[in-house]
Amino acid sequence: LGRFSLTRLLRKEKNSVVYLGVDPVLHREVVIKAVQLPPPSDATPHLDAQIDPLEQAFVRQAQAAGKLSHPHIVTVFEAGRLREIGYLAIERVSGRALHELIASGWRPQFVHCASIAARIADAIDYAHQQGVAHGHLGPQHVVLQVDGVPKIEGFGGWIDGGAGGDEALAGTEKLLPYFHSEISEVERRADVRAVAALVYMMLTGRAPGARPGP
């Protein structure tokens, strides 16, 4: 796919596929996240007319994810399109997703929990300063590395593991406003609440109630 060699299928979703791949130029392993534009169920004879707005949305989200360079954010190396396939090449991170750890019964000590949360909050604050909100931060978007340090993925929106990403392809208008010069206070507060929810889940093993607190 592009210049990348695909070595192994990692997972398959409704309209997207995730592979382990190799960058033959820089000699490193990468994760390739690919999505069909548009999904086959929505395709019509006027394929180019359908692809163009989706490609614009894809490019904007790839730009947003690619501009972030932070030790606790998974790096996006490259974005591209090959015919009807849009793809991201991102950093491969060794570790386990936070939601898997929590489901297995893992509970960090208070100090470790605070350390994880501080790093996540620092990464989110950095992204906000770059004009990028996460928007759907959850334990499935945090990878805890073997040294206990977290890395956040999912800033690429629907193509980068966003919650409900596949069905979002059906409504391009949901994708286009993703990349801003400045994020809104609503987006900022949503990400901050999401960090607080992660702390709650790490300590209790369950999600907080639907009713938002102060």
Side-chain angles (χ1 to χ4, degrees):
L1 191 59
R3 77 168 190 268
F4 301 98
S5 300
L6 306 181
T7 58
R8 181 159 56 93
L9 176 67
L10 295 179
R11 67 179 181 272
K12 189 172 183 179
E13 298 170 355
K14 183 180 177 183
N15 297 310
S16 59
V17 187
V18 182
Y19 296 96
L20 183 64
V22 174
D23 184 335
V25 177
L26 299 177
H27 302 288
R28 64 183 170 198
E29 283 191 322
V30 294
V31 172
I32 304 292
K33 299 192 175 184
V35 64
Q36 188 162 351
L37 306 173
S41 59
D42 297 336
T44 71
H46 306 291
L47 200 57
D48 288 341
Q50 283 185 285
I51 290 177
D52 286 346
L54 286 170
E55 183 180 18
Q56 292 173 25
F58 163 71
V59 168
R60 290 170 71 96
Q61 295 204 4
Q63 287 174 335
K67 70 184 291 191
L68 302 178
S69 178
H70 189 278
H72 304 309
I73 295 176
V74 174
T75 302
V76 175
F77 296 126
E78 186 176 313
R81 174 189 163 192
L82 186 64
R83 294 183 291 276
E84 291 87 43
I85 302 295
Y87 65 90
L88 291 179
I90 70 171
E91 174 186 8
R92 187 190 183 195
V93 180
S94 297
R96 291 186 66 186
L98 201 55
H99 74 287
E100 294 178 353
L101 288 167
I102 293 171
S104 72
W106 170 84
R107 302 288 179 270
Q109 296 295 320
F110 291 155
V111 172
H112 188 200
C113 179
S115 175
I116 294 169
R119 286 171 165 83
I120 293 172
D122 186 67
I124 292 294
D125 182 58
Y126 162 81
H128 288 180
Q129 292 177 36
Q130 306 307 308
V132 179
H134 193 288
H136 47 258
L137 178 64
Q140 71 274 28
H141 300 117
V142 178
V143 177
L144 207 60
Q145 301 173 97
V146 292
D147 58 0
V149 174
K151 281 226 173 192
I152 305 172
E153 64 175 4
F155 281 99
W158 48 269
I159 198 173
D160 195 17
D166 286 338
E167 58 265 28
L169 283 168
T172 308
E173 70 280 356
K174 298 176 183 178
L175 309 177
L176 295 176
Y178 182 82
F179 184 36
H180 316 292
S181 58
E182 184 175 347
I183 65 172
S184 70
E185 189 61 25
V186 171
E187 291 170 310
R188 190 183 307 275
R189 285 175 180 265
D191 279 353
V192 171
R193 284 196 299 269
V195 176
L198 288 176
V199 174
Y200 187 94
M201 284 185 271
M202 282 189 285
L203 293 177
T204 68
R206 63 182 186 275
R211 178 180 171 185

